[in-house]
Amino acid sequence: MKPLLARRALLAAPLVALVGCSREAEPEPTPTLETPSTGPRQEPPTATATGEEEDPDQDGPAEPSAEAPSAADEDAVAEQARSTMTAFWDTSKPQDQWYEALAATMTPAGGEPFEYTLVENVEAATIEGDITVAWDDPESATTATATVPSSAGEFTLLIIRDGDRWLTDSIGFPGGE
């Protein structure tokens, strides 16, 4: 039996050595630097993939601060809805110019469905009445729904704030859900 035990020991020795080598090293903590005049210094915040700074004391990127909607915000959203629908209904332009004018009022994702819409298939219409604005969050002037009454029915636009301007993200057609 001794030769059998010796073979087991020979086989087990390399396995023990391999198990010891496969242990992952733990990451080293980030050092805190101290200067005589300022005391401990933390590493600066890092930028996320979207370019926003990340606060080390917060989980994820900081949320954009937004204030409650003002009368000026409501007017701007109504004007954005008017501009979008005016561009949409302007069927006098050639195809490329029609799409460029419409896309300039929309987010890239919002304008994409209209890229292959043929201008000759668009029924020209006019706004009839006041555009109404409803805020998705009454505490934040970042997203609104504008209802546009027209000669072709009632259109519903989702409008979002993009920095200091407003862009249309989608157009809901009359009779749509």
Side-chain angles (χ1 to χ4, degrees):
M1 273 216 191
K2 286 188 180 183
L4 187 58
L5 286 175
R7 278 190 227 159
R8 283 187 188 167
L10 287 175
L11 290 175
L15 291 176
V16 171
L18 287 176
V19 171
C21 293
S22 67
R23 185 170 172 247
E24 292 184 24
E26 292 183 25
E28 303 235 352
T30 305
T32 302
L33 305 174
E34 289 194 32
T35 61
S37 60
T38 61
R41 187 188 93 182
Q42 295 181 348
E43 292 298 315
T46 57
T48 63
T50 59
E52 297 174 357
E53 283 192 358
E54 218 174 68
D55 183 351
D57 297 330
Q58 184 179 357
D59 294 337
E63 289 294 318
S65 61
E67 297 176 9
S70 67
D73 290 323
E74 190 165 327
D75 291 345
V77 167
E79 184 54 38
Q80 173 62 26
R82 180 179 316 285
S83 296
T84 300
M85 295 313 298
T86 300
F88 179 75
W89 289 323
D90 187 1
T91 58
S92 67
K93 293 182 177 179
Q95 182 70 40
D96 290 345
Q97 291 176 4
W98 173 82
Y99 176 69
E100 286 174 17
L102 179 62
T105 68
M106 303 189 76
T107 63
E112 187 176 347
F114 299 101
E115 184 174 4
Y116 301 104
T117 299
L118 296 176
V119 70
E120 59 262 17
N121 293 336
V122 176
E123 180 183 336
T126 57
I127 295 174
E128 295 183 345
D130 293 332
I131 297 171
T132 58
V133 175
W135 297 99
D136 290 2
D137 178 1
E139 301 298 316
S140 169
T142 57
T143 308
T145 301
T147 304
V148 181
S150 76
S151 57
E154 201 169 80
F155 288 77
T156 306
L157 285 69
L158 178 63
I159 300 178
I160 61 170
R161 183 185 295 272
D162 181 32
D164 60 349
R165 64 185 182 146
W166 294 92
L167 293 174
T168 303
D169 197 45
S170 67
I171 299 174
F173 291 83
E177 303 234 355

